[in-house]
Structures are given as C-alpha cells and as structure tokens.
Amino acid sequence: MALTVSRLASFGFQALNSPFKKAESLRPTKIKGVNMELSLTQPDDWHLHLRDGDLLEAVVQHSANHFGRAIVMPNLKPPVTTTAAAVSYRESILKAFPTKSDFTPLMTLYLTDNTHPNEIKLARESGVVFAVKLYPAGATTNSQDGVSDLFGKCLPVLEEMIEQNMPLLVHGEVTNSEVDIFDREKVFIDTILRPLIQKLPQLKVVMEHITTEDAVRFVESCSEGSVAATVTPQHLILNRNALFQGGLQPHNYCLPVLKREIHRQAIVSAVTSGNKRFFLGTDSAPHERKRKETTCGCAGIYNSPVALSAYAKVFEEAGALEHLEAFTSFNGPDFYGLPRNTAKIKLIKKPWKVPEYYTLEDGGQLVPMFAGQTLDWFPSTLT
C-alpha cells in the first residue's frame, strides 16, 4: 500500500450510470490544498448480497465501482441450490451492468438437507462456483430452506467439499428460540462449529460477518488457512446502542444483530492487528425503505457505496493504516487460493457527503449506511 500526500485542485467521481432516476453522484467536497492519498490493490468483497430483478440492476454498479470480485450470496427466492441455477444467476448479474465492467461475481450454492455430493463436483467443474453457504434454517433473510441437521444430513456433502477444496461459508447462529438473540453466535460456535472443525479438520471454513469476541477467539485458535472470517463495516463501527439511539433505527438492523461495545472492540483489534485470518466482507444487503420501515422490517444494511470509506476510518482511528491493504485486498484471495488483483484504487482523505437515499426506477428508495453523513475517505475509480 502506498501512502502519499499530493496537491489536488479538485477531484470528481463520475456519476453513476445506472437504474437510479435521481441518485446523487458520490462527489467529494471540492477543496484546494494538501490531501492524503492511499493507493491500494483493488479490493474484493468476500460476502455480498446482490438480490435479483430490478434491485440487482440498481445495486450491482455500486459494488463494481470499487471491488474487483465478490462472493455472491445465494439466498434468493427460490434459493440458488444447484450449479445450473448459479450459472444462470451469474449471467443475470453480468447482464445487469449498464456498461462493460471487469467486475467478476464468484458464485455460491445454498446448502440444504437434500444437497447431493455430486452437486459439489458439478460446482467445481463449472469454474464459476467457489463456495457453499450454510444457513441454519430460519437464521436470516430467505433462510427458511436452510439446513436443519448439519451432522445428520450433510456429512457426505461436506466430505465431498473437502475432496473438491470447496470452502463452507457459515452463517454462524443457532435458531433455537430459547437462545437469546445476542448469544446465538456463541452458542453456534460451541455446539456446531467447533464440533464440525474437530470432526472434519480438513474442511475450509469461513465464519461470515463475525460479531463477537467469542468468534474472534475461535478463529484465532484455528489453523491459519483452514478457518477464516469476514468482517463487515457495521460490526466494526456500530454497537447495539445504534439500534435504539434517538428511537428505533431500522436501517441499523442486520443479522447477526449488532452486539455490545466489548465485542466491537475485540473485532477492531483483530482486523487491525494484521492477522491474515480476517478479511473484507461487507454483507451489503439492500432492502427498499418500505421494507425496512415497516411493522416487521427486513434485516440488512446497504453499505456498498460507503464500505471502503468505513474500513479506512476504522484502520485510521486504530493507527493501523499499514494493515488496511492486506485486510481489503490480500487475505481474502490468499485464503481462497485465487490471484490477487493487479489494478489499483485510491482513497483520498477528502470529505464527501453520503446521499440520504438512492431513488429506484419504480420510485422506491434505498437508504445506505451513513445516509446524509459526511465521511473522511473518498474512494476513487481505478488507476
């Protein structure tokens, strides 16, 4: 990562050419003077929700603006349970770009009680499927078709994943209604994940969007290269107070739910330490405003437009900018056994205001993380 100081008379960002009718362009405040720049190897997003249909077309460019690749989650309706469905979904994603893009979606399969080991072979042979996602049934959005009995019904599939070197991506929460929602991750580690690693130590596992000190300690206790974790902007910056400050805040509601400050601090310490087991995964999860601000609001935070700014904020405040590039750009591809990107992207230390919302073609609104707020790091286009 190169850290430079330069004089910039002005710096602009091309307005998004997209399905938004009146989406404000992401423009930094135009300032003359000295500005700090970070030059990073182009990052990848190792946990992304793109949805489908009109919403897919509305959000995909935000990820493509800054990320080279993304692991795309399969929890659609119906879920992406077969290689054929993954290939079809990938084609839909590529067609959704308003202009030619080098953005590469890395597809995943949705694990169910009925997944057959042969499907894992087909997935590996396809060249476009890179992982399998475990959703405990009922854990989050569109997870009703998820796994009900991992050890009883999925062991043959997991063993085939070892043979095919196919990682298991884990939504690490139990769904037993008797377990407090703030304890679901810890209980999952103790009752499912740790026994799974002990039974199948050769299985590569990514614990997605970790939220607790318990998850940090578990990942750190495992062999490097066998178990890793993605970390979101929201779980690095927000604690559970953010759900209730000034009234109920539906746009800060996600699953796994935000946790206590001690957990946030533990995650910050882990990712800013330079530990290779942790890497960028936004868990950006778009829902229209009307589906968030309702009697039963959807879980998910839309952060793709602001993710890199948020990560830079965290690393700067921790005095660890020297570790930012490894977290955003190296640790993920190294774990997946993929080449690192060669393109570069700049982060400019220059304030810019996040739009209050993006207006969709049908008149709906999409509210991003940090809506209406000013952020200090502005991500440029590729260099």
Side-chain angles (χ1 to χ4, degrees):
M1 178 184 72
L3 175 61
T4 62
V5 177
S6 62
R7 291 190 174 275
L8 301 176
S10 65
F11 186 84
F13 186 83
Q14 184 177 357
L16 298 177
N17 177 17
S18 75
F20 301 119
K21 279 197 306 187
K22 300 178 181 178
E24 298 94 335
S25 61
L26 304 183
R27 293 188 180 274
T29 304
K30 292 186 177 181
I31 303 173
K32 292 184 178 181
V34 177
N35 298 279
M36 186 166 67
E37 293 182 1
L38 299 177
S39 178
L40 303 175
T41 299
Q42 186 183 25
D44 300 303
D45 187 346
W46 298 98
H47 187 117
L48 177 65
H49 296 272
L50 287 175
R51 312 305 188 200
D52 52 6
D54 292 341
L55 197 51
L56 164 63
E57 295 183 2
V59 304
V60 68
Q61 190 65 48
H62 276 161
S63 292
N65 282 337
H66 303 133
F67 298 104
R69 297 166 291 196
I71 285 284
V72 180
M73 294 295 111
N75 55 330
L76 305 182
K77 286 186 176 181
V80 181
T81 59
T82 67
T83 301
V87 170
S88 177
Y89 184 28
R90 182 178 185 273
E91 291 173 354
S92 297
I93 294 170
L94 295 176
K95 289 178 181 177
F97 289 102
T99 57
K100 185 179 182 299
S101 173
D102 293 328
F103 179 77
T104 302
L106 309 177
M107 310 311 295
T108 59
L109 297 186
Y110 185 116
L111 184 64
T112 74
D113 290 343
N114 300 314
T115 301
H116 193 277
N118 191 55
E119 196 63 56
I120 306 303
K121 295 179 182 178
L122 294 175
R124 175 56 71 197
E125 291 169 358
S126 74
V128 303
V129 177
F130 289 83
V132 176
K133 181 66 185 289
L134 166 62
Y135 290 101
T140 188
T141 303
N142 297 340
S143 63
Q144 60 271 17
D145 297 306
V147 172
S148 65
D149 184 358
L150 182 65
F151 295 104
K153 297 182 178 180
C154 298
L155 275 181
V157 172
L158 299 175
E159 290 168 347
E160 185 60 38
M161 289 172 62
I162 294 173
E163 290 294 318
Q164 300 297 330
N165 193 29
M166 183 77 68
L168 178 69
L169 314 184
V170 174
H171 182 112
E173 293 188 288
V174 296
T175 56
N176 188 329
S177 61
E178 296 178 359
V179 177
D180 189 287
I181 191 170
F182 293 103
D183 297 329
R184 295 192 337 178
E185 186 170 275
K186 181 182 186 303
V187 174
F188 182 89
I189 293 169
D190 292 339
T191 63
I192 298 177
L193 192 52
R194 183 173 284 110
L196 175 63
I197 299 303
Q198 291 171 347
K199 189 175 186 64
L200 299 173
Q202 294 176 297
L203 181 67
K204 295 189 72 167
V205 174
V206 180
M207 191 173 184
E208 301 289 344
H209 43 51
I210 61 169
T211 68
T212 61
E213 183 178 13
D214 307 276
V216 168
R217 301 298 169 242
F218 173 75
V219 172
E220 290 177 336
S221 73
C222 297
S223 300
E224 187 175 297
S226 62
V227 177
T230 58
V231 185
T232 74
Q234 54 265 28
H235 292 111
L236 285 169
I237 292 176
L238 305 177
N239 63 35
R240 65 186 189 179
N241 288 344
L243 291 167
F244 310 109
Q245 289 172 333
L248 188 63
Q249 301 295 325
H251 296 285
N252 288 338
Y253 171 53
C254 59
L255 287 173
V257 71
L258 301 170
K259 302 298 195 301
R260 289 180 180 272
E261 176 63 11
I262 58 171
H263 296 298
R264 187 194 71 82
Q265 291 179 6
I267 299 170
V268 169
S269 295
V271 303
T272 59
S273 70
N275 192 318
K276 296 180 180 179
R277 295 174 175 86
F278 303 95
F279 44 84
L280 185 159
T282 65
D283 193 21
S284 185
H287 294 287
E288 286 192 58
R289 182 195 289 270
K290 65 184 180 182
R291 298 193 64 206
K292 294 286 290 181
E293 300 175 6
T294 184
T295 53
C296 187
C298 293
I301 294 176
Y302 184 56
N303 61 38
S304 287
V306 302
L308 289 184
S309 300
Y311 287 123
K313 167 185 170 68
V314 170
F315 278 76
E316 181 184 30
E317 291 178 352
L321 282 174
E322 70 273 15
H323 295 311
L324 177 62
E325 186 174 38
F327 173 79
T328 62
S329 311
F330 298 159
N331 298 347
D334 290 355
F335 181 85
Y336 276 85
L338 295 173
R340 298 174 179 180
N341 293 323
T342 57
K344 295 288 185 178
I345 191 169
K346 287 184 179 180
L347 289 174
I348 314 296
K349 186 67 180 292
K350 176 172 284 197
W352 63 281
K353 186 176 181 180
V354 181
E356 295 280 355
Y357 56 84
Y358 298 100
T359 303
L360 308 177
E361 280 290 345
D362 64 359
Q365 295 178 350
L366 188 60
V367 178
M369 186 180 182
F370 295 123
Q373 299 182 40
T374 298
L375 300 181
D376 291 334
W377 288 97
F378 180 76
S380 80
T381 51
L382 297 179
T383 58

